[in-house]
Amino acid sequence: MQASKKVTQEEANQYHSDPTPGKFKIVPTKPMNNQRDLSLAYSPGVAVPCLEIHANPEKAFDYTNKGNMVAVISNGTAVLGLGNLGALAGKPVMEGKSVLFGKFAGINSIDLCVDAYTIDEFVNCVKFLGPSFGGINLEDIKGPDCFEVEERLKKLMNIPVFHDDQHGTAIICLAGLINACESSGKKFEDLRIVCNGAGAAGIACVNLIQTYGARKENCLMVDTRGVIYQGRTEGMNPQKEGLAVDTDRRTLADAVRDADVFIGVSAKGALTKEMVKTMARDPIIFAMANPDPEITPEDAREARDDAIIATGRSDYPNQINNVLCFPFIFRGALDTRSSQINEHMKMAAAKAIAALAREPVPKEVLQAYGRDTMEFGREYIIPTPFDPRLIYVVSKAVAKAAMESGVARVQITDWDLYDQQLHDRIKGSQII
Ligand SMILES: NC(=O)C1=CN([C@@H]2O[C@H](COP(=O)(O)OP(=O)(O)OC[C@H]3O[C@@H](n4cnc5c(N)ncnc54)[C@H](OP(=O)(O)O)[C@@H]3O)[C@@H](O)[C@H]2O)C=CC1
Ligand SMILES: CC(=O)C(=O)O
Ligand SMILES: [Mg+2]
């Protein structure tokens, strides 16, 4: 296991403050240098597209940036694994997500950090934003509020509303698990899985993993009160209720005994070396809490040399992080003008990401990670975010799934042309 050089506090602060505070700026895409330009861009020229859009709202996709624009919206109630820091303190994360939309998928994005802390306030704040955006990426909103927020907004808006911590995380977790399973010679349907954390990420991960084939009775959810068992009354909600199983195990230590898989979407240090020692052969450990995982890869390795280990961090091998998903799933959804991101699109994304990890790794990825080799196996179960093929394979798989499942408003028929368009998106990609 090779960790890269750790970032210091000073480096992190300097990165965020120099040369200008924050991580992106907005730049024009049209000439704006003289009286003529101003006459076109502003009054009187701007009136022409306004009236066209008024007559036919679809024209907004021709004359404005709506079709390639995603809002990253958060109230900061579950910022990474740092807890309820509030909207303002969550802004560095949200700016980061916006930059990654641009960098990896050529999508314009802006962060909207909102002081809206009840479900009603948040829904009322977001539901009016549709005209400006092609999609809404909800981020770092705590469970269980996030479930109702997303469901209500999906009904109220005619553009994709996608809670990244739920579905982006679930998609990438499933992709990693498919490959970890293959690498360790385990059968997916027989996996005994423990998920520590039953909030936004945990509930969605286990639901998607069960949709793919894991058996409900083999999946134990654990939260701050211990195992979520049938009949438990404290700290429950409908989502936890839906995943409760009939078991006499009560603590995380009980739960992980003989388990094949530990999924951590909870908090720093929750999994101990002693617990890891009790897991089944070739244990799969996805310690995904950010910035600090449930167990460090060094400790997990020390406990078990047969473990397959992943974290959410960028400085260890096997980064299981929703950055591998959200830029590309939105790319496919925007390009088909889909009304929503549905289960077919999520499953298609997970399978495409898993399949890509089995292909030979391109040179630019090795360069970005300072490695001589990367090959499918225990230290490489998932592509890296810098893999230039992600946009092609994932976005296309998602676009096809959108069309097949009837949520696409635009059909892509020429896939070679679409490849070229994706290429151009990235080549000319600028963050607005
Ligand atoms: N790698 C990745 O891509 C991603 C990682 N994450 C990480 O997952 C974690 C949770 O995020 P999210 O689901 O959005 O947050 P939520 O606030 O929605 O949920 C947190 C859940 O974790 C549980 N929990 C907290 N501490 C512990 C603990 N010590 N032991 C057991 N359970 C605990 C909470 O229990 P209770 O219900 O009892 O309060 C709750 O169920 C964060 O660390 C986040 O960084 C999230 C998204 C993506
Ligand atoms: C990666 C991410 O979205 C999180 O940790 O919340
Ligand atoms: Mg998040």
Side-chain angles (χ1 to χ4, degrees):
M1 167 136 13
Q2 263 180 327
S4 67
K5 191 168 160 272
K6 296 277 172 295
V7 298
T8 64
Q9 286 187 1
E10 195 187 4
E11 284 171 326
N13 281 337
Q14 191 174 11
Y15 181 87
H16 284 83
S17 60
D18 289 348
T20 48
K23 290 203 279 278
F24 67 87
K25 65 178 180 181
I26 293 176
V27 294
T29 57
K30 301 289 186 293
M32 199 83 68
N33 299 321
N34 51 39
Q35 184 182 17
R36 177 77 186 158
D37 292 343
L38 200 57
S39 304
L40 287 164
Y42 198 40
S43 181
V46 73
V48 178
C50 288
L51 291 172
E52 287 212 20
I53 294 168
H54 182 66
N56 176 4
E58 287 297 301
K59 291 278 179 185
F61 292 96
D62 297 330
Y63 299 130
T64 76
N65 60 17
K66 173 182 169 70
N68 195 36
M69 185 78 171
V70 167
V72 172
I73 310 185
S74 181
N75 59 6
T77 47
V79 177
L80 308 175
L82 303 172
N84 186 347
L85 303 187
L88 183 61
K91 189 164 162 62
V93 173
M94 306 318 141
E95 286 187 6
K97 296 270 176 184
S98 283
V99 170
L100 296 172
F101 269 114
K103 172 77 190 166
F104 291 129
I107 294 172
N108 299 318
S109 174
I110 191 160
D111 63 297
L112 300 176
C113 298
V114 297
D115 278 326
Y117 297 105
T118 68
I119 293 173
D120 284 343
E121 278 175 351
F122 194 91
V123 169
N124 284 335
C125 177
V126 176
K127 71 180 183 186
F128 300 113
L129 298 175
S132 277
F133 297 101
I136 303 289
N137 182 93
L138 302 174
E139 192 68 43
D140 290 0
I141 302 162
K142 72 174 161 57
D145 293 10
C146 61
F147 304 116
E148 186 178 336
V149 161
E150 189 194 42
E151 278 317 307
R152 282 172 59 181
L153 286 173
K154 278 167 87 166
K155 289 197 186 105
L156 289 165
M157 302 181 83
N158 66 356
I159 54 175
V161 176
F162 178 86
H163 184 202
D164 178 39
D165 297 286
Q166 289 184 59
H167 313 298
T169 314
I171 288 163
I172 191 60
C173 182
L174 173 60
L177 195 52
I178 291 170
N179 284 346
C181 212
E182 159 103 8
S183 272
S184 59
K186 299 189 184 211
K187 255 177 94 178
F188 200 95
E189 313 80 84
D190 295 339
L191 289 176
R192 283 155 301 167
I193 299 169
V194 175
C195 180
N196 200 50
I203 294 284
C205 284
V206 174
N207 278 326
L208 196 67
I209 286 166
Q210 290 185 0
T211 303
Y212 187 78
R215 290 206 290 272
K216 183 178 176 191
E217 66 272 21
N218 284 353
C219 299
L220 291 183
M221 304 293 298
V222 185
D223 64 9
T224 53
R225 295 166 199 252
V227 171
I228 298 178
Y229 56 89
Q230 276 173 7
R232 195 182 100 169
T233 50
E234 300 92 29
M236 295 296 281
N237 59 47
Q239 290 74 28
K240 290 180 183 178
E241 207 71 68
L243 292 172
V245 293
D246 184 10
T247 177
D248 53 12
R249 302 194 190 211
R250 291 293 179 264
T251 64
L252 177 59
D254 286 345
V256 295
R257 200 176 349 101
D258 301 323
D260 296 296
V261 181
F262 170 86
I263 295 168
V265 272
S266 51
K268 175 182 179 177
L271 186 70
T272 65
K273 284 196 264 187
E274 286 62 42
M275 294 179 198
V276 173
K277 284 179 189 163
T278 70
M279 291 179 71
R281 71 152 181 97
D282 301 294
I284 297 165
I285 300 171
F286 290 177
M288 293 162 64
N290 285 310
D292 298 305
E294 284 76 4
I295 186 168
T296 64
E298 290 85 355
D299 280 356
R301 176 61 69 225
E302 204 182 303
R304 290 292 291 267
D305 59 10
D306 59 343
I308 295 178
I309 303 162
T311 70
R313 295 169 60 118
S314 310
D315 51 1
Y316 286 100
N318 290 335
Q319 182 177 20
I320 309 260
N321 189 301
N322 50 34
V323 65
L324 278 162
C325 175
F326 66 78
F328 315 110
I329 202 163
F330 268 99
R331 182 76 274 155
L334 292 176
D335 292 340
T336 47
R337 288 191 204 161
S338 291
S339 53
Q340 53 173 282
I341 293 174
N342 62 23
E343 298 309 304
H344 300 281
M345 294 154 84
K346 292 176 201 168
M347 199 50 90
K351 289 179 183 169
I353 295 166
L356 185 60
R358 295 152 191 231
E359 301 292 326
V361 176
K363 274 201 303 287
E364 49 268 58
V365 174
L366 298 177
Q367 273 162 11
Y369 284 80
R371 298 269 296 270
D372 294 331
T373 56
M374 273 186 187
E375 267 174 29
F376 180 67
R378 289 167 178 250
E379 295 280 306
Y380 178 74
I381 55 167
I382 200 82
T384 72
F386 284 102
D387 195 315
R389 301 165 299 176
L390 279 164
I391 185 166
Y392 300 100
V393 301
V394 184
S395 306
K396 276 203 288 198
V398 169
K400 281 182 185 155
M403 287 161 49
E404 283 160 14
S405 60
V407 295
R409 295 183 183 114
V410 162
Q411 306 294 311
I412 296 171
T413 49
D414 185 339
W415 293 96
D416 292 334
L417 176 64
Y418 186 50
D419 267 340
Q420 187 56 47
Q421 289 165 343
L422 291 173
H423 177 260
D424 293 345
R425 288 279 190 202
I426 288 302
K427 205 172 90 196
S429 138
Q430 280 189 318
I431 313 296
I432 82 145

